[in-house]
Amino acid sequence: MSAVVQYAVQGLAAGSFYALAALGLAVIFGVLGVVNFAHGAFYMLGAVATAVLLDTLDLTLWWSLLVVPVLMFGFGVVVELLLVQWLLRLDPLYNLLLTFGLTLVLVELVKQRYGVSGLPYRLPGGLQGRVDLSGVVLPRYQLFVLLFSVAVCVLVWLVMTRTRIGMIVRAATEKPELARALGINVGRWVTPVFGFGVALAGLAGVLAAPFRAITAEMGNNFAIILFAVVVIGGLGSIVGAVVAGFLVGLVEAFGQAYAPTFAQILIFVLMALVILIRPAGLFGRQEATT
Amino acid sequence: MTQSVITQAPADGADVAVAASNPRLRWILLAAGLVAALALPWFVYPPVAMDIVALALFAIALDILLGYTGLLSFGHAAFWGSSAYVTGLIATHYGLPFPVAVIGGAVFAMILALPIGYVSVRRSGIYFAMVTLAFAQMVYFIGYQWSDLTGGENGLQGVPRSFFGIEAVETDSFYFYYAALPILLFGMWAAWRIVHSPFGRVLVSIRDNAPRARALGYEVDKYKAVAFVLSAGLTGLAGGVFAISHGFVALTELHWTTSGDVVLMTVLGGIGTLWGGIVGAFLTVMLADYLASSGFHGIDLITGSVFVLVVLLFRRGVWGTVRHQWNSRRRRRTTSGEGTGR
Amino acid sequence: MRAAIRTRALTKVFRGFRAVDEVDLEVREGSVHALVGPNGAGKTTLFNLLTGFLSPTSGTITVLDEDVTGLPPERVARRGVARSFQITSLFDTLTSREHVELALQGHTRHGFRFWRSERLLGRHRARVDELLEQVGLMPLADKQAGLLAYGQKRALELALVLALDPPVMLLDEPTAGMGIEDVDRTIDLVRRLAAGRTVVFVDHNMHVVGSLADRVTVLQQGRILAEGGYDEVRTDERVITAYLGEAEHA
Amino acid sequence: MESKRKWACASALTVTMLLSACGGGGPGSSGGDFTGDKLVLAVLNDQSGIYKDASGPNSVKAVKMAVADYQNKYGDKAVVTKIEVTSTDHQNKPDIANTKAAELYERGGADVILDVPTSSAALAVANQAKNHKKLFLDVSAATTALTGAQCNKYTFQWAYNTYLLANGTGATVTRNGGKKWTIIYPDYEFGQNMTKSFTDAVTKAGGTVQETIPTPFPNENFATFLTKAGSGNPDVIGTMQAGGDLINLVKQFNESGLKDKGVELAVGLMLINDIHSLGVEQFAGTLFTDPWYWNQDPEARAWADRFLAETGARPSFEHAGNYSAALQYLEAVQAAGTDDADKVVANLEGKKVNDVFLRNGEIRATDHSVVHDANLARVKKPADVKEDWDYEEIVAKIPAAEGFPPAEASGCSMKP
């Protein structure tokens, strides 16, 4: 029994990364209509920045959790202004292709600058060690990741529901026709929202730094699973992205525990099932028939 | 959600029918292309020449979906790679002449495309791209783990090149090129036939405006699925020849980067042009070949930048731009009253 | 006389908003039936429901006594219901001729013939010419739709609907954005086409409604407000109130 | 010449399809002892991808060092004066490796190809070597297939193979007290094979493998697997992960608390460059097989000093392996007096060798596996590191006879 609880918590902790990053992906998609292929690369940059900041400026994880998302926000804004915005009026596939190319460039640049083996990172003392929750022993950091990302998701949710900006973004994401009807000008929020989504991916990267290999390629596989996550959750849905993120984490963990050979395939099977039964995703808005 | 249409704005789209509008030009182009294909191995190392033509068919097959149906498949490596494996397995275990093995591979690719296509075409546009990518990744994992069959990461080695006992073809890649070329040219012809058939007309209408096509009574999903399967079959032909040409199959053929590479070729050459696939494949393969011994390391830096630049600045691609220039010059010369009639 | 279209308690709810609310509509076979109502009354939603582009939240739809509730658009189209679109909806890279050929082929299975030349479509030539002639597009037969003027596009829309030769035609604002001359020409055209068919159309132009419709159904906020002959409806007080409220927008 | 003949043939072919008329044609020999009067050593490896640091450009430099040493040693007596070293980047793509190998043999005048990381690429190159009857000295690829089912007369595996990695670590650690094992391995060919070798080695040395846990590849999250592995209270967790997955696993192992409980981590393959990039802290205490360590003895260290001066880095075993392979090839050419592949192979086969890299080395004739003593190493604690690149403590020697599979067991048959 305690093993099941342990797998569940581990699954949710692994799902935290997906949830945070998918949240960013969903918001970007909602407001810009862009599927950001480079999301995995931004996740990678978040982790690399964390490692580099520790190495050069001795910034610990606590600082990185603050600083890196801000940096990534700035980077996202630059990317949006320099590249993404020029294609917003065209078919969204062009931005998919653009961000795909951007991914190749970013990964290669990191490889050239920081090598292929990866970067070192040390966990701050306060987060080392384990906690014992009545028989279920968990690394303290894993628990931290889980609680922290749930807190971030809740915070984002509060911003989305309680602030004017949040309402606008949510309206644009989930009810575009309503946003249009209300005459909300989403235009000036496009750039900051892209930055915000990138910052979330970067934040997931910061959280990954102490626990995962920080390499140029770390975002590649992550991005593909992320796509499965948002297809499962429904691209137009903020809640869907978060829930599907945690769900995929759970599927992964239990798959690994009980059917390791099929753990990775399971996620894609789940995706196929969702498409067959609910094409718009678990929480997706039913599109007008294509 | 706007319907996904990866074409130019209508005013630019005006050249789509033009290649067909000048039959003489078309014959000249065809003849030139054929001569180029026959002459290629004299100027390029024959195995590299084979790669170019095989990848050109791959890009063309992708263009049936991307350029003519408006579907971006980011998972075509699944068909390319699985056909390569099946071709390799048939050639290895049954010792059949390679064209037979290649056809076997292509048939398998089509069979694989059936369920994947059935599920994927339920989503269009961006979703389609993501879903195909995810499925291809699934196929990749299966290839990785089923090492009894695929050889895992060691690859399927020692695929023979059996061809009716004709030794020149079996051992010399120069002659092999000419033996395999007809298969690939057939594939290209088939792609051209599909695009310029009643079926192709429906595909274009789906690309331009799927709801309208439905209102005309067309079962859009079925058409998309058939296009998907046909595209997978042609991709399979190319992948099979590629496997025989190299004499082995590696897992990279199933990897998503292979899907990305072929999308690049298609976009670079020009979406919705067919000829663009050939141009794109030529440029991409020659670049990789050149970089291998150039001392510059970091091919993705170039590939990625090219992608970004093409998408930002030359969305017509190389061939598309050339054709556009040609047509606008021609339009200026002829009087507008003639229209673009055929 | 049997009903070409009959709906029973047809309802469509979008996230709590009842766009079409318990509508019982009956369109007699062979009649020309107009749907009118202020913006947001649910006319286009109703059209989308009737043609399968939306599936209803509840209620049923029958076309010529056959249940078509929940069928996809292409199946509804094959049951003999053809529609035009309010916002011009064409294939930008195809020529007018190619459009009509495509529409003529829609009924057949020939669309799957990927091994044949598209010249096969030339078999429809006579009929294509006839249809293009009818809507006055013959001189522009080989021009790409994306390059046509607005009125020409509307005409091509009609040609497409005609090509399907449907027992039931649904026209969504056939005269929207047209100049007076074009409007009159279109009225003539629709009147000619209506012979032997059932036509349902939406239009804001009361002149069009008045000259074409045998019967008029007035929708408001997703419900049927009134129904009857044109003159009957025109003088209905509820309708006047509804339209007066709308007047400043009109 | 050759191309003219082809031109004529192919022109005929395009017209009449007289395919069979144009067969045959041997390699164009210039008549001397050396084709083109020179010797070409072609290094074909990954200069840009994940194998760049461990081998990559510095392997080319190592080969150049070998050429210089050969020329210094023989001076005027060298049988060939013109020696070229070329470098080709296979971009970690097996297709490109394959095509480039053929091109190097056919058109680049290459007498030998060296290195070639990634097993699928190396196996393809081995095939090209066989077809072109030219040499291939594999250094970086570890698959046992090269000296087993897919061995051939012209291919040698110089530095190591998966059997060595598994057997060395498995047997030695068990003998040193780690009796109860749990193995975590990536579920693909390499991982499956190594797990088999590992299990054999552990059992033979008197230990038990309680559980083997397959994992997906690539994989970021090992928490579940580690929980499972830890539940059996093993002495040692053996892992066959490599690259980024290995780092993922080690990081998560460190946090899992298993280390504090005294569970050791034994790794199949680890490269000194990984330790260098990531710091010893993460890996401290980890056991692994190192076929060669730059500070294992004064001779190795002396060469490593030269290498450092040349490249600015300490050599990995792959760099040293490339040096050794190039040097022994040149020695064999010197002895044979020609670059004729068959004669060079005859000279190499069965030779007992000692050099900077090979200790008690033997170039086995039966399967062309170059066997030699290797090391079981432990990653040092940060406090014990005395200089840059001083990361390993040699725990035990793994004698050649134990580290490598017996020749009879290889399944290699040289007959074409």
Side-chain angles (χ1 to χ4, degrees), chain A residues 35 91 112 261 279 289-290, chain B residues 5 123 126 145 214 297 315:
Chain A
V35 169
D91 189 291
Q112 301 275 339
T261 310
T289 315
T290 37
Chain B
V5 180
R123 308 310 311 268
I126 283 169
Q145 288 182 349
R214 299 187 78 175
H297 307 307
R315 277 184 290 279

Side-chain angles (χ1 to χ4, degrees), chain D residues 4-47:
Chain D
K4 235 180 203 168
R5 186 179 62 84
K6 278 188 171 165
W7 180 269
C9 262
S11 324
L13 171 115
T14 47
V15 183
T16 60
M17 296 301 279
L18 280 174
L19 273 168
S20 50
C22 311
S29 168
S30 65
D33 289 335
F34 288 88
T35 32
D37 289 326
K38 62 178 179 181
L39 203 57
V40 179
L41 284 71
V43 181
L44 175 60
N45 63 12
D46 175 13
Q47 309 248 332

Side-chain angles (χ1 to χ4, degrees), chain C residues 23-24 135 225 237:
Chain C
V23 166
D24 295 313
V135 298
L225 186 67
E237 265 178 44

Side-chain angles (χ1 to χ4, degrees), chain B residues 123-194:
Chain B
R123 308 310 311 268
S124 56
I126 283 169
Y127 296 86
F128 183 83
M130 291 196 293
V131 171
T132 46
L133 174 64
F135 279 129
Q137 194 68 359
M138 184 165 139
V139 173
Y140 174 73
F141 287 136
I142 294 171
Y144 223 121
Q145 288 182 349
W146 201 350
S147 49
D148 292 346
L149 201 66
T150 62
E153 72 282 7
N154 281 354
L156 186 67
Q157 298 284 345
V159 174
R161 202 188 265 176
S162 169
F163 193 66
F164 309 107
I166 300 170
E167 207 192 315
V169 171
E170 290 176 357
T171 57
D172 192 329
S173 46
F174 180 81
Y175 300 110
F176 172 74
Y177 176 90
Y178 290 100
L181 189 62
I183 299 178
L184 299 175
L185 291 181
F186 165 79
M188 291 178 192
W189 173 82
W192 181 85
R193 175 76 292 160
I194 290 167

Side-chain angles (χ1 to χ4, degrees), chain A residues 6-7 10 14 18 108 111-112 115-123 127-130 139 142 209-215 217-218 221-222 252-253 256-257 260-261 263-264, chain D residues 48-53 187 213-225 227-228 243-245 247-248 251-252 254-258 260 273-274 277-279 281-282:
Chain A
Q6 186 138 8
Y7 294 145
Q10 284 168 346
Y18 298 136
E108 189 62 43
K111 244 193 246 173
Q112 301 275 339
V116 290
S117 302
L119 292 156
Y121 196 78
R122 188 167 25 84
L123 195 58
L127 291 170
Q128 287 174 2
R130 280 146 296 284
Q142 223 170 31
F211 218 49
R212 294 188 172 177
I214 307 167
T215 65
E217 316 240 340
M218 70 185 285
N221 197 46
F222 184 79
E252 209 176 72
Q256 289 182 351
T261 310
Q264 231 151 354
Chain D
S48 46
I50 52 169
Y51 301 109
K52 173 179 130 189
D53 290 352
D187 197 5
I213 303 172
T215 74
F217 174 85
N219 186 40
E220 290 97 33
N221 178 22
F222 287 94
T224 323
F225 298 122
T227 303
K228 254 174 106 174
D245 279 22
I247 301 163
N248 278 318
K251 280 186 171 182
Q252 289 161 34
N254 291 345
E255 287 313 306
S256 68
L258 293 167
D260 302 347
N273 308 81
D274 290 336
S277 305
L278 294 155
E281 196 178 1
Q282 310 248 353

Side-chain angles (χ1 to χ4, degrees), chain A:
Chain A
M1 188 57 218
S2 79
V4 173
V5 177
Q6 186 138 8
Y7 294 145
V9 178
Q10 284 168 346
L12 290 173
S16 305
F17 297 104
Y18 298 136
L20 279 183
L23 181 58
L25 200 60
V27 174
I28 291 176
F29 176 79
V31 176
L32 286 83
V34 169
V35 169
N36 178 21
F37 203 105
H39 221 60
F42 291 137
Y43 161 80
M44 177 272 291
L45 284 181
V48 168
T50 307
V52 171
L53 284 176
L54 179 73
D55 189 41
T56 55
L57 300 177
D58 218 21
L59 284 191
T60 59
L61 185 74
W62 302 107
W63 281 105
S64 290
L65 283 171
L66 274 176
V67 174
V68 173
V70 174
L71 290 177
M72 292 304 295
F73 177 85
F75 185 62
V77 165
V78 171
V79 168
E80 205 280 337
L81 292 177
L82 232 51
L83 304 172
V84 172
Q85 66 156 336
W86 304 107
L87 301 174
L88 285 180
R89 283 169 181 282
L90 299 174
D91 189 291
L93 287 177
Y94 281 118
N95 255 321
L96 185 75
L97 293 173
L98 176 91
T99 48
F100 174 70
L102 184 64
T103 306
L104 296 181
V105 172
L106 291 176
V107 170
E108 189 62 43
L109 282 177
V110 169
K111 244 193 246 173
Q112 301 275 339
R113 178 67 185 78
Y114 298 108
V116 290
S117 302
L119 292 156
Y121 196 78
R122 188 167 25 84
L123 195 58
L127 291 170
Q128 287 174 2
R130 280 146 296 284
V131 280
D132 190 332
L133 303 168
S134 57
V136 180
V137 182
L138 288 165
R140 185 169 290 163
Y141 186 68
Q142 223 170 31
L143 213 58
F144 168 75
V145 167
L146 179 54
L147 295 177
F148 185 84
S149 39
V150 168
V152 171
C153 289
V154 170
L155 192 71
V156 171
W157 178 247
L158 286 178
V159 171
M160 291 284 172
T161 48
R162 299 289 156 82
T163 68
R164 196 180 135 67
I165 304 168
M167 299 287 229
I168 292 169
V169 170
R170 209 156 63 94
T173 309
E174 302 193 332
K175 298 173 185 169
E177 59 286 297
L178 190 67
R180 240 175 284 129
L182 296 175
I184 294 170
N185 178 14
V186 185
R188 59 205 191 96
W189 297 107
V190 159
T191 310
V193 161
F194 190 85
F196 176 68
V198 171
L200 279 176
L203 184 61
V206 179
L207 286 173
F211 218 49
R212 294 188 172 177
I214 307 167
T215 65
E217 316 240 340
M218 70 185 285
N220 292 353
N221 197 46
F222 184 79
I224 295 174
I225 296 182
L226 214 52
F227 287 166
V229 168
V230 290
V231 169
I232 290 168
L235 246 190
S237 165
I238 290 168
V239 178
V242 174
V243 173
F246 285 111
L247 180 68
V248 165
L250 281 176
V251 169
E252 209 176 72
F254 282 99
Q256 289 182 351
Y258 298 109
T261 310
F262 303 103
Q264 231 151 354
I265 293 170
L266 269 181
I267 296 168
F268 301 115
V269 172
L270 178 66
M271 183 193 75
L273 285 177
V274 168
I275 297 171
L276 280 173
I277 296 161
R278 278 186 67 92
L282 294 180
F283 293 82
R285 190 162 26 88
Q286 203 68 38
E287 298 167 277
T289 315
T290 37

